[in-house]
Amino acid sequence: MVENEAPMGGLGHAGHLLIRNSKKTTISMTNPTRMTRQGFPFAFDPSACETCGGRCCNGESGNIWVTRDESRALADALGLTLDAFTQGYLKKVGYRTSIGERREGENYACLLYDREKGGCTAYGARPVQCRTFPFWDYFRERPREAAAECPGVILDENGPDQG
C-alpha cells in the first residue's frame, strides 16, 4: 500500500494507489488492477472504467461535492479560470458546492461527463468523491447494488449476501 494523497483511496495519475487516512485500501499482488478496501465485501477493477460508458457519471440526480481546491484543479484541467468554472459547472447546495448536472432524457449526467468520449473531461483532476467510487459508505451494505451500477465491482463470494 502506498500512502499519499486521496482521502479514501483512488488511483493517481500514473495508476498508483493513493490513500491519506487510516482506512485500508490495497491492490492485490496477484492482480494489480484489483483494489480492495477494508470493510467492503467487494473488490474493484479500475480497468473496467475504460469500457463502461460512465455509469457512475450518469443516472439519478445527485451531488458531487467539491472543495475550493478541487474546483481550482478542475478549472485548471479544463483550461478555465476559477470564476468561469464556478459559473459554468458548479451549483450551491446549502453551504456546500456541487458539480452541476444536465438532464438527459429521464436521467442526469455530470456536467463534466462527455458522452462522445464516454468519460470525464477532467479525469485527472476528479474530486475525491469520484476518485473513491465505488468505495462509498452507501455501498458498504449494498454490494449487489454497487455491482449492478459498476461493471468493475467484483463481489466477494465469501462476503455477506446484502444489497
Side-chain angles (χ1 to χ4, degrees):
M1 178 172 51
V2 176
E3 295 195 7
N4 200 343
E5 297 176 359
M8 294 186 348
L11 291 180
H13 299 293
H16 298 285
L17 180 66
L18 306 174
I19 186 166
R20 184 185 295 161
N21 65 16
S22 62
K23 296 178 181 174
K24 305 276 190 237
T25 304
T26 59
I27 296 177
S28 166
M29 297 307 284
T30 57
N31 181 355
T33 62
R34 183 181 170 121
M35 296 171 57
T36 60
R37 179 156 171 220
Q38 186 175 8
F40 284 80
F42 57 83
F44 174 61
D45 178 355
S47 68
C49 297
E50 297 171 13
T51 62
C52 92
R55 289 189 201 173
C56 58
C57 305
N58 298 278
E60 296 177 26
S61 180
N63 292 301
I64 299 297
W65 305 114
V66 292
T67 66
R68 188 120 174 113
D69 287 343
E70 289 172 330
S71 297
R72 278 190 201 97
L74 289 164
D76 288 347
L78 296 173
L80 299 172
T81 65
L82 179 58
D83 188 51
F85 178 74
T86 298
Q87 290 180 9
Y89 290 87
L90 301 180
K91 64 181 180 178
K92 289 295 276 182
V93 181
Y95 293 102
R96 298 177 78 184
T97 304
S98 174
I99 297 172
E101 58 193 3
R102 65 180 169 273
R103 184 95 189 210
E104 293 186 350
E106 294 186 24
N107 291 314
Y108 294 85
C110 174
L111 290 179
L112 295 174
Y113 178 72
D114 183 328
R115 185 156 306 284
E116 287 182 23
K117 291 182 181 178
C120 181
T121 56
Y123 188 84
R126 291 167 300 149
V128 168
Q129 187 173 340
C130 298
R131 287 184 282 135
T132 58
F133 182 87
F135 295 107
W136 294 349
D137 287 339
Y138 177 84
F139 290 124
R140 184 185 316 268
E141 301 299 323
R142 298 169 183 88
R144 294 200 185 290
E145 188 175 339
E149 183 168 334
C150 176
V153 170
I154 304 159
L155 295 176
D156 180 354
E157 295 171 10
N158 300 319
D161 187 26
Q162 301 174 358

